[in-house]
Amino acid sequence: MALTSKLYSASFTRPSNATQYAATDLVANSTVAGNVVPNVINDPTMTDAGYNWLRSVTLKHSQASVTTSSFKVWLLNALPAITNGDNGAIAGPTLAQILDIVPLDVDNLVTGAGAIGKAYYDAGLILLPRTFYFLVEATAAYTPASAEVFTAEFRLEAA
């Protein structure tokens, strides 16, 4: 059986401020919890009962910082009820919603274009459903650019 590789991505723009993040802070589109929109990835080629193997996660942000920025990408099987906004402690997802949490160091700087980091799962250790959600968490101090854009890319593979 041939494996099919697919690449899906989603982006969000964080608020127009440069308030520094601390470890465990949510990186999101709004400072108001009720306005935070978790990002969704949907694979229209899968059935509702189907699953994809996660092969890689890439996280990009539009600011080229001079130091490594560290984040986690939370992978969720259902839309979470977010209880804090951007720059507040990440809160809301339940244990039953969490599929996995992927740590990433975004340290490959692209002059004038931002920064990029990637995690590989060639052994296919993480299964993702047809539709999944993700959140981004800062894992260390990071001073963002105002209205900085974050993009997550997921390379998926299905039999």
Side-chain angles (χ1 to χ4, degrees):
M1 219 160 154
L3 296 176
T4 303
S5 181
K6 302 165 270 190
L7 183 66
Y8 294 101
S9 67
S11 298
F12 65 91
T13 303
R14 55 166 310 284
S16 297
N17 65 43
T19 305
Q20 185 177 52
Y21 291 103
T24 74
D25 280 356
L26 175 64
V27 180
N29 65 305
S30 176
T31 57
V32 178
N35 294 340
V36 170
V37 178
N39 295 278
V40 62
I41 300 291
N42 182 46
D43 180 355
T45 67
M46 298 294 295
T47 65
D48 284 338
Y51 283 86
N52 283 303
W53 292 109
L54 177 64
R55 295 303 186 196
S56 67
V57 178
T58 302
L59 185 64
K60 303 174 185 177
H61 58 77
S62 58
Q63 172 179 266
S65 60
V66 294
T67 60
T68 298
S69 51
S70 298
F71 301 94
K72 290 179 183 173
V73 175
W74 290 49
L75 304 172
L76 308 166
N77 63 11
L79 186 64
I82 304 301
T83 56
N84 282 328
D86 178 78
N87 229 294
I90 193 166
T94 65
L95 189 56
Q97 292 174 322
I98 300 170
L99 296 166
D100 214 319
I101 299 173
V102 179
L104 291 158
D105 287 332
V106 183
D107 59 358
N108 295 307
L109 305 178
V110 182
T111 303
I116 185 171
K118 192 166 197 158
Y120 293 95
Y121 295 91
D122 291 332
L125 301 175
I126 300 173
L127 276 175
L128 295 173
R130 173 186 180 173
T131 300
F132 65 94
Y133 302 84
F134 72 90
L135 297 169
V136 176
E137 172 194 357
T139 57
Y142 173 67
T143 303
S146 179
E148 186 170 8
V149 177
F150 279 75
T151 301
E153 295 177 344
F154 301 89
R155 177 147 319 271
L156 307 176
E157 201 167 80

